[in-house]
Amino acid sequence: MPTAAQLESLYRVSYQLTYIMLQPIYLICVDNRTRNIYILAGYNEELEFQILPTGELFDEQS
């Protein structure tokens, strides 16, 4: 179950991806090992994000 902080971050990221950047979101799931929310987005599925239980974003490209 996602934390409240994760849900707030998920809403913010989803809004920015779809309404501002006009990018499709292909997958949103919770990693059962780490409890992070994983997001796969972009026309070529090139955007990957993880939202930590604290609500902070972890960008895999960094």
Side-chain angles (χ1 to χ4, degrees), residues 1-10 12-13 30 34-37 50-59:
M1 186 69 147
T3 65
Q6 282 178 312
L7 292 175
E8 288 178 22
S9 293
L10 177 60
R12 186 176 60 251
V13 169
V30 177
T34 62
R35 306 307 303 162
N36 294 349
I37 294 178
Q50 289 189 48
I51 302 174
L52 305 175
T54 59
E56 296 178 39
L57 278 179
F58 176 72
D59 184 355

Side-chain angles (χ1 to χ4, degrees), residues 1-59:
M1 186 69 147
T3 65
Q6 282 178 312
L7 292 175
E8 288 178 22
S9 293
L10 177 60
Y11 178 82
R12 186 176 60 251
V13 169
S14 298
Y15 179 84
Q16 290 175 349
L17 283 169
T18 57
Y19 290 104
I20 296 173
M21 299 172 61
L22 302 175
Q23 297 291 319
I25 296 174
Y26 290 101
L27 176 72
I28 298 174
C29 65
V30 177
D31 183 338
N32 289 327
R33 298 169 295 140
T34 62
R35 306 307 303 162
N36 294 349
I37 294 178
Y38 178 78
I39 304 168
L40 180 62
Y43 286 104
N44 297 316
E45 299 178 12
E46 73 276 9
L47 303 173
E48 299 177 28
F49 301 96
Q50 289 189 48
I51 302 174
L52 305 175
T54 59
E56 296 178 39
L57 278 179
F58 176 72
D59 184 355

